[in-house]
Amino acid sequence: MKDAPKMNGAESLVQTLIDSGVDVCFTNPGTSEMHFVAALDHIPGMRSILALQEGVATGAADGYWRMAGKPASTLLHLGPGLANGLSNLHNAKKAGSAVVNIIGEHAESHIALDAPLTSDIEGIARPVSHWVRTSGSAEAVGKDAAEAVQASMVSPGQIASLILPSDTAWNEGGTVHAALPQPEPERFDESVLDGAAEALIGPDSLLLLGGGALTEENLRKAGQISAKTGCTLLSEWSNARLERGAGRVFVGKVPYPIDAALKVLEPFKRIVLIGARAPIGFFAYPGKPAELTRPDAEILTLASAAADLGSALDALVRATDASGTAPAHVADAALPDRPDGPITRDSLAALIARAIPENAIIVDESVTTGRAFFPVTKGAAPHTWLNNCGGSIGYGLPAAIGAAVACPDRKVMTLTGDGSAMYTVQALWTMAREALDITVLIFANQSYQILRGELTNVGVQNPGPRAIDMLSLDRPTLDWVQMAQSMGVAASRVTDCDGLEAAMDEGLAKPGPVLIEVAL
Protein backbone atom coordinates (compact mmCIF):
# COMPACT_ATOMS: atom_id res chain seq x y z
CA MET A 1 0.00 0.00 0.00
CA LYS A 2 1.40 3.39 -0.97
CA ASP A 3 2.02 6.02 1.66
CA ALA A 4 -0.38 8.96 1.64
CA PRO A 5 1.07 11.93 -0.25
CA LYS A 6 2.83 14.44 1.93
CA MET A 7 0.98 17.67 2.57
CA ASN A 8 2.18 21.03 3.79
CA GLY A 9 0.29 23.20 6.28
CA ALA A 10 -1.27 25.45 3.63
CA GLU A 11 -2.66 22.44 1.76
CA SER A 12 -4.15 21.00 4.93
CA LEU A 13 -5.70 24.41 5.64
CA VAL A 14 -7.39 24.70 2.25
CA GLN A 15 -8.72 21.13 2.30
CA THR A 16 -9.98 21.44 5.89
CA LEU A 17 -11.82 24.67 5.06
CA ILE A 18 -13.48 23.03 2.06
CA ASP A 19 -14.44 19.94 4.08
CA SER A 20 -15.89 22.26 6.74
CA GLY A 21 -18.16 23.96 4.17
CA VAL A 22 -16.03 27.06 3.54
CA ASP A 23 -15.61 27.08 -0.23
CA VAL A 24 -15.34 30.81 -1.06
CA CYS A 25 -12.31 32.95 -0.25
CA PHE A 26 -12.23 36.73 -0.72
CA THR A 27 -8.55 37.43 -1.00
CA ASN A 28 -5.81 40.04 -1.18
CA PRO A 29 -2.67 37.98 -0.60
CA GLY A 30 1.00 38.86 -0.14
CA THR A 31 4.31 37.03 0.11
CA SER A 32 3.52 35.29 3.39
CA GLU A 33 0.36 33.76 1.88
CA MET A 34 1.87 32.39 -1.34
CA HIS A 35 1.73 28.77 -0.19
CA PHE A 36 -2.03 29.16 0.41
CA VAL A 37 -2.32 30.62 -3.09
CA ALA A 38 -0.31 27.72 -4.53
CA ALA A 39 -2.51 25.19 -2.73
CA LEU A 40 -5.55 26.58 -4.54
CA ASP A 41 -4.01 25.47 -7.84
CA HIS A 42 -4.12 21.75 -7.09
CA ILE A 43 -6.85 21.41 -4.46
CA PRO A 44 -10.25 21.75 -6.18
CA GLY A 45 -13.33 23.15 -4.51
CA MET A 46 -12.41 26.66 -3.33
CA ARG A 47 -13.60 29.70 -5.30
CA SER A 48 -11.02 32.44 -4.81
CA ILE A 49 -12.12 36.02 -5.54
CA LEU A 50 -9.53 38.79 -5.70
CA ALA A 51 -10.19 42.17 -4.11
CA LEU A 52 -7.98 45.20 -4.68
CA GLN A 53 -8.31 46.34 -1.08
CA GLU A 54 -8.84 44.30 2.05
CA GLY A 55 -11.93 46.23 3.14
CA VAL A 56 -13.60 44.90 0.00
CA ALA A 57 -12.66 41.33 0.95
CA THR A 58 -13.95 41.58 4.52
CA GLY A 59 -17.14 43.40 3.49
CA ALA A 60 -17.81 40.79 0.80
CA ALA A 61 -17.44 38.03 3.38
CA ASP A 62 -20.07 39.82 5.51
CA GLY A 63 -22.54 40.03 2.62
CA TYR A 64 -21.87 36.41 1.68
CA TRP A 65 -22.75 35.11 5.16
CA ARG A 66 -25.97 37.08 5.29
CA MET A 67 -27.28 35.46 2.12
CA ALA A 68 -25.55 32.05 2.10
CA GLY A 69 -25.94 31.26 5.79
CA LYS A 70 -22.42 29.83 5.88
CA PRO A 71 -19.07 31.56 6.30
CA ALA A 72 -16.63 32.58 3.62
CA SER A 73 -12.96 33.00 4.34
CA THR A 74 -10.75 35.98 3.72
CA LEU A 75 -7.03 35.83 2.97
CA LEU A 76 -5.21 38.90 4.30
CA HIS A 77 -1.55 39.92 4.26
CA LEU A 78 0.00 40.33 7.70
CA GLY A 79 -1.02 43.04 10.16
CA PRO A 80 -1.32 45.94 7.69
CA GLY A 81 -3.55 43.90 5.37
CA LEU A 82 -5.76 42.97 8.31
CA ALA A 83 -5.81 46.60 9.39
CA ASN A 84 -7.10 47.64 5.98
CA GLY A 85 -10.01 45.23 6.46
CA LEU A 86 -10.89 46.18 10.05
CA SER A 87 -13.66 48.63 9.21
CA ASN A 88 -15.85 46.06 7.51
CA LEU A 89 -14.93 43.39 10.05
CA HIS A 90 -16.37 45.79 12.62
CA ASN A 91 -19.56 45.98 10.56
CA ALA A 92 -19.65 42.19 10.19
CA LYS A 93 -19.22 41.69 13.92
CA LYS A 94 -22.09 44.07 14.70
CA ALA A 95 -24.25 42.26 12.14
CA GLY A 96 -23.62 38.86 13.72
CA SER A 97 -21.95 37.57 10.56
CA ALA A 98 -19.72 34.50 10.47
CA VAL A 99 -16.35 35.14 8.81
CA VAL A 100 -13.16 33.06 8.88
CA ASN A 101 -10.10 35.27 8.41
CA ILE A 102 -6.83 33.66 7.35
CA ILE A 103 -4.06 36.15 8.06
CA GLY A 104 -0.49 35.54 6.97
CA GLU A 105 2.39 36.04 9.39
CA HIS A 106 6.17 35.99 9.14
CA ALA A 107 7.96 32.72 9.86
CA GLU A 108 8.86 32.43 13.52
CA SER A 109 12.56 32.85 12.79
CA HIS A 110 11.87 36.12 10.97
CA ILE A 111 9.73 37.79 13.64
CA ALA A 112 12.73 38.39 15.88
CA LEU A 113 14.37 40.45 13.12
CA ASP A 114 11.59 43.09 13.30
CA ALA A 115 11.19 43.28 9.53
CA PRO A 116 9.19 46.24 8.17
CA LEU A 117 5.87 44.38 8.08
CA THR A 118 6.19 42.86 11.55
CA SER A 119 3.27 43.78 13.83
CA ASP A 120 1.11 42.48 16.66
CA ILE A 121 -1.41 40.67 14.47
CA GLU A 122 -3.27 39.08 17.36
CA GLY A 123 -3.58 42.52 18.98
CA ILE A 124 -4.96 44.00 15.77
CA ALA A 125 -7.39 41.13 15.25
CA ARG A 126 -8.78 40.82 18.76
CA PRO A 127 -11.12 43.88 18.86
CA VAL A 128 -12.98 42.71 15.74
CA SER A 129 -12.83 38.97 16.43
CA HIS A 130 -14.56 36.58 18.80
CA TRP A 131 -11.86 33.92 18.32
CA VAL A 132 -8.14 34.46 17.58
CA ARG A 133 -5.38 31.88 17.25
CA THR A 134 -1.89 31.64 15.76
CA SER A 135 -0.98 28.22 14.39
CA GLY A 136 2.20 26.90 15.98
CA SER A 137 3.14 24.19 13.49
CA ALA A 138 2.16 22.64 10.17
CA GLU A 139 0.71 19.71 12.10
CA ALA A 140 -1.65 22.02 14.00
CA VAL A 141 -2.99 23.99 11.04
CA GLY A 142 -5.77 21.60 9.99
CA LYS A 143 -7.15 21.29 13.52
CA ASP A 144 -6.93 25.06 14.02
CA ALA A 145 -8.83 25.63 10.77
CA ALA A 146 -11.66 23.28 11.75
CA GLU A 147 -11.95 24.98 15.12
CA ALA A 148 -11.96 28.41 13.47
CA VAL A 149 -14.91 27.42 11.30
CA GLN A 150 -16.72 25.99 14.31
CA ALA A 151 -16.09 29.18 16.29
CA SER A 152 -17.46 31.29 13.45
CA MET A 153 -20.73 29.35 13.56
CA VAL A 154 -21.56 30.20 17.16
CA SER A 155 -24.98 31.87 16.94
CA PRO A 156 -25.77 34.32 15.47
CA GLY A 157 -22.35 34.25 13.73
CA GLN A 158 -18.85 35.19 14.84
CA ILE A 159 -15.56 36.47 13.46
CA ALA A 160 -12.77 33.88 13.71
CA SER A 161 -9.22 34.98 12.88
CA LEU A 162 -6.59 32.30 12.26
CA ILE A 163 -3.03 33.60 11.88
CA LEU A 164 -0.81 31.45 9.65
CA PRO A 165 2.97 31.90 10.00
CA SER A 166 4.57 31.24 6.64
CA ASP A 167 6.75 28.39 7.92
CA THR A 168 3.68 26.53 9.19
CA ALA A 169 2.28 26.95 5.68
CA TRP A 170 5.31 25.63 3.81
CA ASN A 171 6.46 22.91 6.23
CA GLU A 172 5.30 19.36 5.62
CA GLY A 173 3.29 17.49 8.20
CA GLY A 174 -0.10 19.02 7.57
CA THR A 175 -3.15 16.83 8.05
CA VAL A 176 -6.73 17.43 7.04
CA HIS A 177 -9.09 17.73 10.00
CA ALA A 178 -12.70 16.61 9.81
CA ALA A 179 -15.44 19.22 10.05
CA LEU A 180 -16.59 19.86 13.62
CA PRO A 181 -20.26 19.99 14.66
CA GLN A 182 -22.06 23.32 14.46
CA PRO A 183 -22.72 24.81 17.92
CA GLU A 184 -26.33 24.94 19.07
CA PRO A 185 -27.88 28.40 19.63
CA GLU A 186 -28.73 29.59 23.10
CA ARG A 187 -32.13 28.89 24.60
CA PHE A 188 -34.47 31.84 24.96
CA ASP A 189 -35.34 32.95 28.50
CA GLU A 190 -38.35 30.79 29.32
CA SER A 191 -38.61 32.40 32.76
CA VAL A 192 -39.91 35.64 31.23
CA LEU A 193 -42.22 34.07 28.64
CA ASP A 194 -45.48 34.52 30.55
CA GLY A 195 -44.50 38.05 31.55
CA ALA A 196 -43.64 38.89 27.96
CA ALA A 197 -46.99 37.60 26.72
CA GLU A 198 -48.83 39.71 29.27
CA ALA A 199 -46.65 42.77 28.57
CA LEU A 200 -47.63 42.76 24.89
CA ILE A 201 -51.32 43.27 25.47
CA GLY A 202 -52.49 46.67 24.29
CA PRO A 203 -51.46 49.48 21.94
CA ASP A 204 -48.92 50.88 24.41
CA SER A 205 -46.86 47.70 24.03
CA LEU A 206 -44.03 47.10 21.55
CA LEU A 207 -42.50 43.91 20.19
CA LEU A 208 -39.02 44.95 19.01
CA LEU A 209 -37.33 42.53 16.61
CA GLY A 210 -33.81 42.07 15.31
CA GLY A 211 -31.41 39.53 13.84
CA GLY A 212 -32.92 36.18 12.91
CA ALA A 213 -36.39 37.29 14.02
CA LEU A 214 -36.74 39.08 10.67
CA THR A 215 -37.08 36.06 8.39
CA GLU A 216 -40.33 35.76 6.45
CA GLU A 217 -41.58 32.95 8.68
CA ASN A 218 -40.62 34.64 11.94
CA LEU A 219 -42.24 37.89 10.85
CA ARG A 220 -45.42 35.95 10.14
CA LYS A 221 -45.37 34.74 13.75
CA ALA A 222 -44.78 38.29 14.99
CA GLY A 223 -47.73 39.42 12.87
CA GLN A 224 -49.93 36.81 14.56
CA ILE A 225 -48.84 38.04 18.00
CA SER A 226 -49.54 41.64 17.01
CA ALA A 227 -52.98 40.76 15.65
CA LYS A 228 -53.88 38.91 18.85
CA THR A 229 -52.47 41.33 21.43
CA GLY A 230 -52.69 44.71 19.70
CA CYS A 231 -48.98 45.39 20.20
CA THR A 232 -46.90 47.38 17.73
CA LEU A 233 -44.11 45.76 15.73
CA LEU A 234 -40.82 47.50 15.04
CA SER A 235 -37.31 46.44 14.11
CA GLU A 236 -33.97 47.94 15.00
CA TRP A 237 -32.72 50.79 12.81
CA SER A 238 -30.05 48.60 11.16
CA ASN A 239 -30.78 44.98 10.30
CA ALA A 240 -28.43 42.35 8.95
CA ARG A 241 -31.19 40.84 6.83
CA LEU A 242 -34.89 41.64 6.59
CA GLU A 243 -37.46 39.95 4.34
CA ARG A 244 -39.89 42.51 2.93
CA GLY A 245 -42.41 43.27 0.22
CA ALA A 246 -45.89 42.33 -0.91
CA GLY A 247 -47.43 39.41 0.97
CA ARG A 248 -44.99 39.65 3.88
CA VAL A 249 -45.52 41.14 7.32
CA PHE A 250 -44.30 44.72 7.23
CA VAL A 251 -42.30 45.96 10.18
CA GLY A 252 -41.16 49.56 10.50
CA LYS A 253 -37.84 50.64 11.97
CA VAL A 254 -36.81 52.70 14.97
CA PRO A 255 -35.72 55.94 13.25
CA TYR A 256 -32.05 56.95 13.12
CA PRO A 257 -32.54 60.67 13.96
CA ILE A 258 -32.73 60.88 17.74
CA ASP A 259 -35.67 63.29 17.94
CA ALA A 260 -37.73 61.14 15.59
CA ALA A 261 -36.80 57.98 17.53
CA LEU A 262 -37.82 59.53 20.84
CA LYS A 263 -41.18 60.51 19.36
CA VAL A 264 -41.83 57.06 17.89
CA LEU A 265 -40.90 55.21 21.09
CA GLU A 266 -42.52 57.55 23.61
CA PRO A 267 -45.96 55.83 23.64
CA PHE A 268 -44.65 52.41 24.67
CA LYS A 269 -44.85 51.52 28.35
CA ARG A 270 -43.87 47.88 27.83
CA ILE A 271 -41.30 46.55 25.33
CA VAL A 272 -40.40 42.93 24.62
CA LEU A 273 -37.09 42.27 22.85
CA ILE A 274 -36.52 39.32 20.51
CA GLY A 275 -33.14 39.39 18.80
CA ALA A 276 -32.89 43.12 19.47
CA ARG A 277 -31.28 45.42 22.01
CA ALA A 278 -33.08 48.16 23.88
CA PRO A 279 -32.94 51.22 21.59
CA ILE A 280 -30.06 53.65 22.09
CA GLY A 281 -28.78 56.58 20.05
CA PHE A 282 -25.88 56.19 17.65
CA PHE A 283 -24.14 59.12 19.35
CA ALA A 284 -24.36 61.29 22.43
CA TYR A 285 -25.93 64.71 21.90
CA PRO A 286 -25.90 67.69 24.27
CA GLY A 287 -29.07 67.77 26.33
CA LYS A 288 -30.59 64.64 24.78
CA PRO A 289 -30.95 61.14 26.26
CA ALA A 290 -28.86 58.23 25.02
CA GLU A 291 -31.57 55.69 25.88
CA LEU A 292 -34.46 56.26 23.50
CA THR A 293 -37.29 54.61 25.42
CA ARG A 294 -39.37 56.46 27.99
CA PRO A 295 -37.78 56.36 31.46
CA ASP A 296 -40.60 54.33 33.00
CA ALA A 297 -40.77 51.73 30.21
CA GLU A 298 -40.70 48.09 31.30
CA ILE A 299 -38.26 46.22 29.03
CA LEU A 300 -38.17 42.42 28.89
CA THR A 301 -35.57 40.46 26.91
CA LEU A 302 -37.16 37.20 25.84
CA ALA A 303 -34.33 36.21 23.48
CA SER A 304 -30.97 37.74 22.59
CA ALA A 305 -29.62 37.67 19.04
CA ALA A 306 -27.65 34.54 19.96
CA ALA A 307 -30.79 32.55 20.84
CA ASP A 308 -33.04 30.34 18.75
CA LEU A 309 -35.40 33.14 17.74
CA GLY A 310 -37.79 30.92 15.82
CA SER A 311 -38.38 28.86 18.95
CA ALA A 312 -38.83 32.02 21.02
CA LEU A 313 -41.50 33.33 18.64
CA ASP A 314 -43.20 29.92 18.50
CA ALA A 315 -43.43 29.93 22.28
CA LEU A 316 -44.72 33.50 22.34
CA VAL A 317 -47.39 32.65 19.75
CA ARG A 318 -48.59 29.87 22.04
CA ALA A 319 -48.37 32.01 25.17
CA THR A 320 -50.52 34.74 23.57
CA ASP A 321 -52.96 32.17 22.15
CA ALA A 322 -52.26 33.50 18.65
CA SER A 323 -51.77 30.19 16.83
CA GLY A 324 -54.98 30.41 14.81
CA THR A 325 -54.80 34.16 14.23
CA ALA A 326 -54.19 35.67 10.81
CA PRO A 327 -51.09 37.89 10.95
CA ALA A 328 -51.49 41.65 11.03
CA HIS A 329 -49.54 44.14 8.91
CA VAL A 330 -49.26 41.98 5.78
CA ALA A 331 -48.20 44.33 2.99
CA ASP A 332 -50.47 44.61 -0.03
CA ALA A 333 -48.96 44.63 -3.51
CA ALA A 334 -49.06 48.37 -4.09
CA LEU A 335 -46.65 50.63 -5.91
CA PRO A 336 -46.45 54.42 -5.75
CA ASP A 337 -47.47 56.49 -8.73
CA ARG A 338 -44.79 57.08 -11.32
CA PRO A 339 -43.09 60.43 -10.63
CA ASP A 340 -41.57 62.72 -13.20
CA GLY A 341 -39.46 65.85 -13.24
CA PRO A 342 -36.34 66.40 -11.13
CA ILE A 343 -35.07 63.72 -8.75
CA THR A 344 -35.99 64.29 -5.11
CA ARG A 345 -35.81 61.94 -2.14
CA ASP A 346 -39.49 61.16 -2.52
CA SER A 347 -39.40 60.58 -6.28
CA LEU A 348 -36.25 58.50 -5.86
CA ALA A 349 -38.00 56.28 -3.31
CA ALA A 350 -40.98 55.84 -5.63
CA LEU A 351 -38.84 54.89 -8.62
CA ILE A 352 -36.82 52.38 -6.61
CA ALA A 353 -40.01 50.79 -5.26
CA ARG A 354 -41.33 50.41 -8.80
CA ALA A 355 -38.03 48.95 -10.05
CA ILE A 356 -37.30 46.32 -7.39
CA PRO A 357 -37.33 42.94 -9.17
CA GLU A 358 -38.99 39.86 -7.73
CA ASN A 359 -36.69 38.19 -5.17
CA ALA A 360 -34.08 40.96 -5.39
CA ILE A 361 -31.46 41.66 -2.74
CA ILE A 362 -31.21 45.32 -1.72
CA VAL A 363 -27.93 46.37 -0.10
CA ASP A 364 -28.63 49.71 1.56
CA GLU A 365 -25.98 52.23 2.57
CA SER A 366 -28.03 55.29 1.68
CA VAL A 367 -27.64 56.81 5.12
CA THR A 368 -29.39 60.13 4.50
CA THR A 369 -30.96 59.87 1.04
CA GLY A 370 -32.48 56.50 1.88
CA ARG A 371 -34.53 57.53 4.90
CA ALA A 372 -37.56 57.90 2.63
CA PHE A 373 -37.16 54.46 1.05
CA PHE A 374 -38.54 52.13 3.68
CA PRO A 375 -42.26 52.97 3.88
CA VAL A 376 -42.55 53.54 0.14
CA THR A 377 -41.07 50.14 -0.76
CA LYS A 378 -43.27 48.09 1.61
CA GLY A 379 -45.58 46.96 -1.23
CA ALA A 380 -42.85 46.31 -3.78
CA ALA A 381 -42.13 42.84 -5.12
CA PRO A 382 -40.89 40.47 -2.38
CA HIS A 383 -37.22 41.16 -1.65
CA THR A 384 -34.45 40.99 0.95
CA TRP A 385 -33.01 44.15 2.53
CA LEU A 386 -29.49 44.36 4.03
CA ASN A 387 -28.31 47.26 6.21
CA ASN A 388 -24.96 48.42 7.52
CA CYS A 389 -25.13 47.33 11.17
CA GLY A 390 -21.83 48.76 12.42
CA GLY A 391 -22.02 52.31 11.10
CA SER A 392 -18.55 52.26 9.51
CA ILE A 393 -19.05 53.49 5.97
CA GLY A 394 -17.80 51.68 2.88
CA TYR A 395 -19.90 48.58 3.46
CA GLY A 396 -22.38 48.71 0.57
CA LEU A 397 -20.31 47.90 -2.52
CA PRO A 398 -18.35 45.02 -0.90
CA ALA A 399 -21.44 43.50 0.74
CA ALA A 400 -23.14 43.48 -2.66
CA ILE A 401 -20.26 41.37 -4.00
CA GLY A 402 -20.75 38.80 -1.27
CA ALA A 403 -24.52 38.73 -1.74
CA ALA A 404 -24.17 38.27 -5.50
CA VAL A 405 -21.64 35.44 -5.08
CA ALA A 406 -23.93 33.72 -2.56
CA CYS A 407 -27.05 34.11 -4.74
CA PRO A 408 -26.09 34.19 -8.42
CA ASP A 409 -29.71 33.61 -9.42
CA ARG A 410 -30.94 36.81 -7.73
CA LYS A 411 -30.66 40.44 -8.79
CA VAL A 412 -28.68 42.65 -6.40
CA MET A 413 -29.34 46.39 -6.10
CA THR A 414 -26.91 48.53 -4.13
CA LEU A 415 -28.02 51.91 -2.82
CA THR A 416 -25.18 54.11 -1.57
CA GLY A 417 -24.04 57.67 -1.24
CA ASP A 418 -21.00 58.99 -3.05
CA GLY A 419 -19.08 59.58 0.18
CA SER A 420 -19.64 56.04 1.42
CA ALA A 421 -18.83 54.44 -1.92
CA MET A 422 -15.45 56.17 -2.17
CA TYR A 423 -14.20 54.19 0.83
CA THR A 424 -14.31 50.92 -1.11
CA VAL A 425 -14.55 52.04 -4.73
CA GLN A 426 -12.17 49.19 -5.67
CA ALA A 427 -15.17 46.86 -5.30
CA LEU A 428 -16.30 47.90 -8.77
CA TRP A 429 -13.29 46.14 -10.29
CA THR A 430 -14.14 42.87 -8.54
CA MET A 431 -17.76 43.15 -9.69
CA ALA A 432 -16.57 43.45 -13.28
CA ARG A 433 -13.94 40.72 -13.01
CA GLU A 434 -16.44 38.24 -11.59
CA ALA A 435 -19.30 39.41 -13.89
CA LEU A 436 -21.58 39.80 -10.87
CA ASP A 437 -25.23 40.71 -11.41
CA ILE A 438 -25.26 43.98 -9.44
CA THR A 439 -26.94 47.29 -10.24
CA VAL A 440 -25.33 50.11 -8.25
CA LEU A 441 -27.09 53.41 -7.59
CA ILE A 442 -24.71 56.16 -6.43
CA PHE A 443 -26.53 59.10 -4.86
CA ALA A 444 -24.20 61.93 -5.79
CA ASN A 445 -24.94 64.89 -3.55
CA GLN A 446 -21.24 65.80 -3.50
CA SER A 447 -21.07 65.89 0.29
CA TYR A 448 -21.01 63.91 3.49
CA GLN A 449 -24.64 64.94 3.85
CA ILE A 450 -25.24 63.05 7.07
CA LEU A 451 -22.50 65.06 8.79
CA ARG A 452 -24.10 68.34 7.79
CA GLY A 453 -27.14 67.22 9.75
CA GLU A 454 -24.95 66.08 12.62
CA LEU A 455 -23.48 69.59 12.94
CA THR A 456 -26.95 70.77 13.89
CA ASN A 457 -27.64 67.74 16.09
CA VAL A 458 -24.60 68.41 18.27
CA GLY A 459 -25.56 72.05 18.67
CA VAL A 460 -23.39 73.80 16.08
CA GLN A 461 -25.38 76.71 14.69
CA ASN A 462 -24.59 78.58 11.48
CA PRO A 463 -21.42 76.64 10.54
CA GLY A 464 -18.89 78.65 8.58
CA PRO A 465 -17.22 77.94 5.23
CA ARG A 466 -14.32 75.97 6.74
CA ALA A 467 -16.66 73.58 8.52
CA ILE A 468 -18.82 73.13 5.42
CA ASP A 469 -15.73 72.61 3.27
CA MET A 470 -14.67 69.60 5.39
CA LEU A 471 -18.02 67.96 4.63
CA SER A 472 -18.08 68.65 0.88
CA LEU A 473 -16.96 66.38 -1.96
CA ASP A 474 -16.40 69.00 -4.65
CA ARG A 475 -13.23 70.72 -5.92
CA PRO A 476 -12.92 68.45 -7.88
CA THR A 477 -16.29 66.82 -8.42
CA LEU A 478 -16.24 63.03 -8.46
CA ASP A 479 -17.07 61.51 -11.85
CA TRP A 480 -18.60 58.11 -11.13
CA VAL A 481 -19.19 57.25 -14.77
CA GLN A 482 -15.50 57.56 -15.58
CA MET A 483 -14.45 55.70 -12.43
CA ALA A 484 -16.80 52.82 -13.09
CA GLN A 485 -15.92 52.52 -16.75
CA SER A 486 -12.20 52.51 -15.93
CA MET A 487 -12.83 49.40 -13.80
CA GLY A 488 -14.92 47.62 -16.42
CA VAL A 489 -18.41 48.50 -15.15
CA ALA A 490 -20.98 49.97 -17.55
CA ALA A 491 -22.14 53.32 -16.22
CA SER A 492 -24.39 56.30 -16.87
CA ARG A 493 -25.39 59.54 -15.16
CA VAL A 494 -29.02 60.61 -14.72
CA THR A 495 -30.53 63.91 -13.67
CA ASP A 496 -34.30 63.37 -13.82
CA CYS A 497 -36.93 60.74 -13.14
CA ASP A 498 -37.31 59.66 -16.77
CA GLY A 499 -33.58 59.08 -17.07
CA LEU A 500 -33.36 57.13 -13.81
CA GLU A 501 -36.30 54.90 -14.67
CA ALA A 502 -34.82 54.08 -18.08
CA ALA A 503 -31.35 53.44 -16.63
CA MET A 504 -32.68 51.11 -13.93
CA ASP A 505 -34.82 49.21 -16.44
CA GLU A 506 -31.83 48.74 -18.71
CA GLY A 507 -29.41 47.86 -15.91
CA LEU A 508 -31.68 45.31 -14.28
CA ALA A 509 -32.57 43.70 -17.62
CA LYS A 510 -29.05 42.58 -18.49
CA PRO A 511 -26.52 40.46 -16.61
CA GLY A 512 -23.36 41.84 -15.08
CA PRO A 513 -22.60 44.99 -13.10
CA VAL A 514 -24.06 48.38 -13.97
CA LEU A 515 -23.56 51.70 -12.17
CA ILE A 516 -26.00 54.62 -12.27
CA GLU A 517 -24.84 57.97 -10.91
CA VAL A 518 -27.92 59.78 -9.60
CA ALA A 519 -27.29 63.51 -9.53
CA LEU A 520 -28.98 65.12 -6.52
Side-chain angles (χ1 to χ4, degrees), residues 497-512:
C497 290
D498 288 346
L500 177 55
E501 182 179 57
M504 286 194 294
D505 287 347
E506 180 181 357
L508 291 166
K510 61 184 181 182

Side-chain angles (χ1 to χ4, degrees), residues 361-388:
I361 301 166
I362 312 300
V363 182
D364 180 14
E365 197 176 15
S366 53
V367 183
T368 48
T369 305
R371 289 179 189 169
F373 294 169
F374 224 64
V376 179
T377 55
K378 66 183 289 187
H383 59 276
T384 301
W385 201 284
L386 313 184
N387 285 125
N388 181 345

Side-chain angles (χ1 to χ4, degrees), residues 112 214 324 459 470:
L214 300 172
M470 283 187 284

Side-chain angles (χ1 to χ4, degrees), residues 334-340 346-347 349-354 376 497 501:
L335 296 176
D337 293 336
R338 183 190 179 282
D340 55 19
D346 290 339
S347 64
L351 288 170
I352 289 171
R354 294 171 62 87
V376 179
C497 290
E501 182 179 57

Side-chain angles (χ1 to χ4, degrees), residues 38-245:
L40 296 173
D41 265 337
H42 55 272
I43 298 177
M46 178 75 76
R47 180 178 179 182
S48 186
I49 297 172
L50 180 62
L52 298 185
Q53 204 267 359
E54 293 87 348
V56 176
T58 55
D62 180 7
Y64 181 87
W65 160 260
R66 298 195 200 190
M67 297 310 304
K70 65 177 186 175
S73 65
T74 68
L75 182 61
L76 309 174
H77 182 43
L78 300 166
L82 170 62
N84 283 341
L86 288 184
S87 178
N88 274 327
L89 286 176
H90 163 83
N91 289 332
K93 187 179 182 184
K94 293 292 186 179
S97 292
V99 178
V100 178
N101 296 310
I102 308 299
I103 307 155
E105 170 63 294
H106 290 306
E108 183 180 3
S109 60
H110 204 68
I111 293 174
L113 302 178
D114 194 25
L117 281 168
T118 304
S119 63
D120 179 5
I121 300 177
E122 286 196 5
I124 298 170
R126 201 162 280 116
V128 294
S129 305
H130 301 84
W131 183 99
V132 179
R133 181 178 297 170
T134 301
S135 287
S137 66
E139 292 80 3
V141 170
K143 179 175 180 291
D144 291 342
E147 291 182 2
V149 176
Q150 184 184 53
S152 77
M153 295 296 287
V154 171
S155 182
Q158 295 195 149
I159 312 297
S161 294
L162 177 60
I163 300 163
L164 184 70
S166 53
D167 52 344
T168 70
W170 72 55
N171 284 339
E172 293 184 349
T175 57
V176 178
H177 198 285
L180 296 173
Q182 182 174 334
E184 293 292 328
E186 295 177 4
R187 288 286 300 169
F188 66 91
D189 190 349
E190 295 182 57
S191 69
V192 304
L193 178 59
D194 290 340
E198 185 176 349
L200 289 175
I201 297 172
D204 53 0
S205 300
L206 171 65
L207 180 55
L208 184 61
L209 306 170
L214 300 172
T215 66
E216 182 176 4
E217 175 60 19
N218 283 340
L219 284 171
R220 187 188 65 80
K221 299 170 190 175
Q224 289 181 297
I225 295 165
S226 176
K228 185 69 176 182
T229 65
C231 73
T232 296
L233 300 180
L234 287 175
S235 77
E236 296 180 298
W237 160 248
S238 296
N239 299 297
R241 177 173 176 174
L242 171 61
E243 302 302 327
R244 308 180 69 243

